[in-house]
Amino acid sequence: NQNHPDFMWQYQSQVGSQRNYENPHIEYATLVQTIIHPASLVNPEQPMPDPTENGAETLESGNVAIDIPDNDRTGIEHTLTTTAASGVISGASLEIDLTHTWRGDLRVVLEHDGESYTLHDRTGGSRDDLKRTFDLPMLRGVAAVGDYTLRVTDHARRDLGTLNSWKLDLEWG
């Protein structure tokens, strides 16, 4: 998400907009394929996301009950994978159920498509547990297909915790 142009030239010819909120002078599919997601130019075997395809999928871990090692920056990880998604993410949220006796010890990071996104970074002090839903606007415009890895690390001694479950809701198109 950091590798993007500082500016962009606008097409001079009129191209019919597929959606009423798009700029009618820019062909969105061409923009996605050549600038936003040029992965197929680097790896021709990797399929390009279809920006016109719409869909949604919920990925759920179920009850995983993974103990988080105390004061261990390696922590734990758990991965969910989607193969059904073939578009570009338009909306995403992550729901986590994590028990811990000192929430301020924890760092929670989501990894997808070579990028890391910190969702919780040692905030909340002595409050127990981390049970909440995170909106994920940073995933908008990213190819939906692939692995999503949740990484949880504990950065202090004495308090213990468990990743009970997590769920990822994706919308694309």
Side-chain angles (χ1 to χ4, degrees):
N1 287 344
Q2 300 303 316
N3 187 10
H4 55 80
D6 292 334
F7 69 93
M8 183 181 315
W9 293 103
Q10 181 174 337
Y11 292 123
Q12 295 300 309
S13 63
Q14 279 270 40
V15 175
S17 177
Q18 295 176 345
R19 296 174 255 197
N20 62 3
Y21 57 84
E22 288 181 350
N23 183 330
H25 303 286
I26 296 176
E27 186 178 345
Y28 182 73
T30 301
L31 179 68
V32 168
Q33 291 175 348
T34 60
I35 295 175
I36 297 174
H37 290 290
S40 68
L41 302 176
V42 176
N43 181 359
E45 294 178 16
Q46 181 178 349
M48 286 301 298
D50 180 355
T52 63
E53 181 179 323
N54 294 315
E57 184 175 7
T58 298
L59 307 172
E60 297 187 62
S61 69
N63 184 16
V64 292
I66 303 171
D67 290 335
I68 303 163
D70 192 33
N71 195 26
D72 180 350
R73 286 178 168 63
T74 303
I76 61 165
E77 64 179 47
H78 190 266
T79 300
L80 300 174
T81 302
T82 178
T83 55
S86 62
V88 175
I89 295 174
S90 60
S93 65
L94 184 147
E95 183 179 322
I96 190 168
D97 179 356
L98 190 152
T99 53
H100 196 278
T101 53
W102 194 284
R103 176 191 320 188
D105 292 356
L106 301 174
R107 179 172 291 135
V108 178
V109 175
L110 179 66
E111 298 172 353
H112 173 65
D113 201 26
E115 299 289 332
S116 295
Y117 309 97
T118 301
L119 306 179
H120 177 86
D121 195 6
R122 303 184 67 188
T123 59
S126 64
R127 285 185 275 170
D128 289 347
D129 306 334
L130 185 60
K131 297 179 183 184
R132 66 171 283 196
T133 300
F134 296 93
D135 185 36
L136 305 174
M138 69 289 270
L139 291 179
R140 290 186 189 124
V142 174
V145 70
D147 293 337
Y148 295 83
T149 300
L150 186 71
R151 189 175 307 278
V152 181
T153 52
D154 184 319
H155 295 260
R157 293 181 299 157
R158 295 193 306 177
D159 293 283
L160 302 173
T162 303
L163 173 62
N164 300 310
S165 63
W166 67 291
K167 177 173 82 167
L168 186 63
D169 288 310
L170 300 172
E171 296 174 7
W172 57 89

